[in-house]
Amino acid sequence: MIFEQLVTSFVAAAGFAIIFNAPKNVLIQCGSVGMIGWFVYTVLTINRVDAVVATIAAAVVVAVTSQVFAKWFRTPIIIFNVSGIIPLVPGGLAYDAMRNFVGNDYDMAVQLAARAILISGAIALGLVFSEIINQMIRSAKWKRLQSKYDRNGMNGY
Amino acid sequence: MDKQLITKVCLLAGKVMLQSGAETYRIEDTMWRIAHAFGAENAQVHATPTGLMFAINETEPTNFVRILERSTDLHKVTEVNSISRSISNGNLTLEEARESLKEIDQEKLAYPRYVQIIAAALASGCFAIMFQGQWTDFLPAVIAGGIGFSAMIYFHYIVKIRFFAEFLASLIIGLVAFFFVRIEVGLEMDRIIIGAVMPLVPGLLITNAVRDLMAGHLVSGLSKGAESFLTAFAIGAGIAVVFFIV
């Protein structure tokens, strides 16, 4: 079950990278970021962690991984961020909310919509965290680590 | 220091990035870095989603570029980024930088349309599985997603209003999903629709909006947020119409 989730999330994230015209040589990495984020989210929700908390955790993991990949492969971080974040977008909840609005069940619709907004907020929080990590990496304490990544970077890219 | 040429190179770099969907703060940062590398120590840059302003110094005249068409092409963003990197390292002259930026500006999309449609279709099927769908709904979601994404490209090509294209695309997705459930190929209409709609979701816009707001670019952040909200609303409205019809 978890295996099929891993494969589908990898293909979905890589597919999104193609839709956004990401460079060909980072497609695998985009898929991996999406897969890692979705893995964290699925494992947490299976263990009955609240979806909002699970989303924050997954978004933070996505942020950290994208940050490392961006430094490593010398590409703008946005490429990895987007692929990783997309699976976490509360599409299902937003859909259910909209369906209830259409069916005139406003109580349920507002509940679901509030939840969708909360999860979107959680995603935003995770992205903010990515910015904080970026600044930590830039600060002097992490210089050694950064130059280590840079040496492994794809030269001439 | 050739002020005219520096301004041209900076504006071209900014224009390519803005049209390809880079974050506003990255655009301003890149333009400032290029100007700085060529000796304009006090260059002033301001970017919004619809326009780009650049002055080589506070007291110099301001140059302005209007951006009408924006698409998503992260490949170009990466290329401009690496050009600005080599300019900062002193590996490119002003004239070389201008030539390579012009080349990037003329480049076509990194992937042909049909590859993008296949990718969107596959992603749709996978999303249907990720949102607890059955494997029987995989193929219907793939087809609905493919048709929906092609419809969005086509409608955006004939009508230049993006929200309308998204509205029609999600309407078609809803109808295709309904059709599949009706002929009993698909099981759950909800899962098929959610999966197929995902390629239309403005993921890049949402991400950019948050990142821009965090970087202090309030105008760009809010306008991108509004754009993504409108897109989400258009998708929702398209699906809602299907429920009213069937």
Side-chain angles (χ1 to χ4, degrees), chain B residues 46-74:
Chain B
H46 181 73
T48 67
T50 48
L52 203 57
M53 277 171 264
F54 179 84
I56 206 145
N57 204 329
E58 279 167 7
T59 48
E60 297 282 330
T62 304
N63 304 278
F64 179 75
V65 172
R66 174 101 170 84
I67 307 290
L68 286 172
E69 192 68 22
R70 288 183 306 279
S71 63
T72 308
D73 194 343
L74 296 178

Side-chain angles (χ1 to χ4, degrees), chain B residues 3-21:
Chain B
K3 284 180 185 172
Q4 198 93 36
L5 199 55
I6 293 176
T7 309
K8 274 183 182 165
V9 167
C10 284
L11 281 176
L12 186 59
K15 193 184 124 201
V16 174
M17 288 185 101
L18 196 47
Q19 283 177 337
S20 311

